[in-house]
């Protein structure tokens, strides 16, 4: 009799304990389902899964970039941090080497006779004159680029494309910035699951009906997700409740989270390498080529008059134009190698981390939650549904444990 009583009450106590593990398991799975797998696994469109964030990479990227470009840092602010004269000094050595090779190849191809006729001293004098003009030509061209940067570069599009092509960047932003919140979601499932399991235990004690455990499991799976997510963002502003001050867990960590966010943005999305790549390969590359040709034409016209007597008889206007075009095209093709010498300087010059962090700390709670809130809002109902179904499955397991005859009754 006593043994049966103890066994019955141990079985009852197992309900909140199992509910705790159900809450933890559903929350843990919900977090993982938000981010993994990066690519769809299974048979489209129904039988399979892709992490909610990676599956909405375009939408997530646009949300993040809109926040960055509208609230934190504009393209104009970014490029104007680079000093044209200092940039010119950084690339001078590499540009000098490239120019010598490019000019030599272009003249040999377009006017081999003239080039072979030129004395070595005249060639060296030509190189020296062009090199002497670089310190003034390069800064002027960089200044022109800065003044026309919006026509040359669509940084917004570049960053969005980079995030869409590399969804792990989006995952990194959400997972690192909201690391403590995601850990809270997982662990809170254990606590809330236990607490929510207590009413189920009481209901089962008085009404040993099969649907009590199924409904209890469903509510635990659903509610633990719902409660955890709302505790992260609500209330938005510090609210006094008796001796306590309540605020959403993520919003309370604004300074800490902002520092992590800005570190990722600077390292992965808004640095000198990406900026240079956007300038050279973006929508305005054609206009950039035209700008480069303009400055190359001017530099060549000013310096090739040195051996005009040699060219007047052998190099016609058409060949002269083609030669200048080839020099400009080759310099443009080598631009990424040339600019690579300025990466370190440009990185130091851009250095947006501190300023970006200050601007983020100045955001209102409503604006700040936009950093990771989209991760929760994106198909949030799917996570709740999965949690509810898994909770109900666990409730079914408890039913089998507490009423082994239930299966037999269902079969007959």
């Amino acid at each position: 009799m006593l043994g049966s009583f103890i066994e019955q009450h141990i079985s009852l106590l197992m309900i909140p304990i199992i509910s705790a593990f159900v809450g933890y398991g559903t929350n843990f799975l919900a977090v993982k389902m938000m981010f993994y797998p990066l690519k769809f696994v299974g048979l489209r469109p129904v039988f399979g899964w892709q992490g909610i964030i990676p599956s909405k990479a375009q939408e997530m990227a646009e949300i993040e970039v809109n926040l960055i470009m509208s609230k934190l840092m504009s393209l104009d602010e970014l490029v104007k941090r680079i000093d044209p004269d200092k940039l010119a000094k950084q690339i001078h050595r590499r540009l000098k080497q490239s120019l010598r090779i490019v000019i030599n190849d272009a003249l040999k191809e377009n006017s081999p006779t003239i080039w072979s006729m030129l004395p070595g001293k005249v060639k060296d004098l030509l190189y020296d004159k062009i090199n002497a003009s670089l310190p003034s030509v390069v800064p002027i061209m960089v200044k022109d680029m800065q003044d026309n940067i919006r026509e040359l570069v669509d940084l917004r599009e570049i960053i969005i494309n980079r995030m869409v092509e590399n969804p792990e960047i989006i995952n990194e932003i959400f997972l690192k910035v909201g690391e403590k919140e995601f850990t809270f979601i997982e662990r809170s499932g254990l606590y809330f699951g236990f607490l929510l399991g207590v009413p189920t235990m009481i209901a089962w004690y008085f009404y040993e009906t099969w649907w009590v455990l199924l409904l209890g499991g469903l509510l635990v799976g659903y509610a633990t997700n719902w409660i955890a997510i709302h505790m992260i963002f609500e209330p938005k502003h510090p609210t006094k409740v008796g001796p306590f001050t309540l605020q959403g867990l993520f919003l309370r960590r604004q300074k800490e989270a902002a520092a992590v966010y800005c570190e990722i943005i600077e390292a992965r999305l808004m640095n000198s390498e990406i900026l240079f790549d956007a300038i050279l390969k973006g929508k305005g590359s054609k206009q950039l080529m035209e700008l480069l040709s303009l400055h190359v034409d001017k530099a060549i016209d000013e310096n090739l008059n040195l051996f005009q007597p040699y060219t007047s008889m052998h190099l016609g206007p058409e060949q002269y134009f083609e030669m200048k075009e080839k020099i400009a095209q080759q310099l443009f093709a080598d631009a990424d190698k040339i600019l690579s010498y300025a990466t370190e300087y440009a990185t130091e010059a851009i250095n947006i981390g501190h300023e970006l962090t200050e601007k983020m700390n100045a955001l209102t709670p409503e604006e700040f939650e936009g950093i990771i809130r989209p991760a929760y809002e994106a198909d949030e109902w799917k996570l709740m549904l999965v949690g509810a179904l898994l909770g109900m499955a666990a409730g079914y397991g408890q039913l089998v444990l507490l009423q082994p005859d239930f299966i037999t009754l269902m079969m007959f």
Side-chain angles (χ1 to χ4, degrees):
M1 192 73 163
L2 179 62
S4 176
F5 177 82
I6 293 174
E7 183 180 341
Q8 180 185 6
H9 283 77
I10 289 177
S11 298
L12 281 173
L13 289 174
M14 287 299 294
I15 293 176
I17 293 174
I18 292 175
S19 294
F21 284 102
V22 169
Y24 176 84
T26 55
N27 284 18
F28 177 85
L29 185 61
V31 170
K32 299 306 176 188
M33 288 177 68
M34 289 170 67
F35 300 101
Y36 303 104
L38 288 175
K39 295 182 179 180
F40 188 87
V41 175
L43 298 174
R44 292 185 183 275
V46 178
F47 301 103
W49 186 261
Q50 180 181 13
I52 289 176
I53 301 304
S55 71
K56 293 182 172 290
Q58 180 76 29
E59 181 183 335
M60 295 293 108
E62 289 177 359
I63 290 171
E64 295 302 314
V65 172
N66 286 339
L67 172 67
I68 296 168
M69 304 300 283
S70 64
K71 301 287 185 182
L72 305 176
M73 184 69 61
S74 71
L75 177 59
D76 300 86
E77 290 178 285
L78 202 63
V79 297
K80 284 181 179 176
R81 290 169 175 263
I82 298 174
D83 184 281
D85 293 310
K86 290 182 179 179
L87 180 68
K89 287 180 182 179
Q90 295 295 318
I91 66 174
H92 183 272
R93 183 179 175 185
R94 175 66 187 183
L95 183 56
K96 179 180 175 181
Q97 295 170 345
S98 293
L99 266 173
R100 189 180 185 95
I101 295 170
V102 168
I103 291 171
N104 183 66
D105 291 346
L107 287 169
K108 278 174 67 177
E109 181 179 346
N110 282 76
S111 52
T113 304
I114 297 175
W115 195 240
S116 62
M117 289 170 53
L118 284 176
K121 289 185 178 180
V122 176
K123 292 179 181 178
D124 290 338
L125 186 58
L126 171 65
Y127 295 139
D128 290 341
K129 281 200 69 176
I130 292 177
N131 288 332
S133 70
L134 290 180
S136 60
V137 173
V138 174
I140 293 172
M141 182 175 174
V142 173
K143 186 68 170 60
D144 282 349
M145 288 170 52
Q146 290 175 323
D147 292 340
N148 297 279
I149 194 65
R150 288 190 175 275
E151 287 71 41
L152 296 174
V153 178
D154 186 347
L155 188 60
R156 182 180 182 278
E157 182 182 352
I158 294 291
I159 294 177
I160 288 176
N161 290 341
R162 180 175 172 81
M163 294 174 78
V164 171
E165 292 167 5
N166 304 278
E168 65 273 10
I169 295 177
I170 305 176
N171 273 8
E172 182 181 356
I173 291 173
F174 288 125
L175 287 170
K176 286 191 175 180
V177 174
E179 181 178 8
K180 291 187 177 180
E181 284 67 42
F182 289 121
T183 301
F184 169 77
I185 287 178
E186 294 173 7
R187 292 178 180 173
S188 67
L190 195 69
Y191 316 136
F192 295 137
F194 182 86
L195 292 175
L196 292 169
V198 172
T200 306
M201 177 186 69
I202 295 171
W204 177 257
Y205 180 78
F206 289 103
Y207 307 100
E208 287 193 9
T209 307
W210 64 269
W211 55 264
V212 169
L213 293 177
L214 295 183
L215 179 61
L218 184 146
L219 291 176
V220 167
Y222 181 90
T224 50
N225 276 332
W226 189 91
I227 293 172
I229 288 174
H230 281 75
M231 285 185 67
I232 290 173
F233 299 106
E234 300 294 341
K236 289 183 173 53
H237 298 271
T239 304
K240 291 286 289 184
V241 178
F244 304 102
T245 301
L246 303 180
Q247 187 180 17
L249 298 176
F250 178 65
L251 303 175
R252 193 188 304 170
R253 287 197 317 113
Q254 182 162 347
K255 287 187 177 180
E256 179 185 346
V260 176
Y261 183 80
C262 294
E263 184 181 327
I264 297 171
I265 295 302
E266 186 173 25
R268 304 278 276 175
L269 297 175
M270 295 183 77
N271 55 52
S272 58
E273 292 181 9
I274 292 173
L275 180 60
F276 288 158
D277 191 62
I279 292 171
L280 296 175
K281 300 175 184 177
K283 67 167 187 176
S285 58
K286 185 177 179 181
Q287 293 95 314
L288 182 62
M289 178 64 202
E290 292 172 357
L291 185 62
L292 177 63
S293 296
L294 180 67
H295 288 281
V296 168
D297 281 356
K298 185 177 179 182
I300 291 176
D301 289 339
E302 290 175 351
N303 292 287
L304 283 189
N305 60 15
L306 175 70
F307 56 101
Q308 185 63 32
Y310 295 93
T311 62
S312 58
M313 293 177 59
H314 300 279
L315 193 62
E318 188 174 333
Q319 285 181 300
Y320 184 63
F321 176 78
E322 288 179 2
M323 180 193 67
K324 291 193 294 183
E325 279 294 297
K326 285 181 180 178
I327 291 175
Q329 289 171 4
Q330 189 55 52
L331 282 176
F332 187 75
D334 292 345
D336 56 339
K337 297 175 185 176
I338 295 170
L339 285 174
S340 67
Y341 279 65
T343 299
E344 186 175 346
Y345 157 70
T347 299
E348 293 175 359
I350 292 173
N351 189 26
I352 61 173
H354 178 69
E355 185 176 338
L356 207 59
T357 303
E358 286 186 343
K359 288 184 177 181
M360 286 205 70
N361 286 331
L363 294 176
T364 65
E366 288 80 6
E367 292 170 332
F368 186 72
E369 75 169 355
I371 295 175
I372 67 168
R373 181 59 174 163
Y376 297 91
E377 289 179 327
D379 290 342
E380 191 176 277
W381 65 272
K382 290 183 181 179
L383 302 178
M384 304 296 186
L385 178 62
V386 169
L389 292 176
L390 288 174
M392 190 163 63
Y396 177 80
Q398 291 184 81
L399 180 61
V400 173
L401 179 67
L402 295 174
Q403 280 194 350
D405 296 334
F406 175 74
I407 300 295
T408 305
L409 291 172
M410 290 294 291
M411 290 179 64
F412 296 98

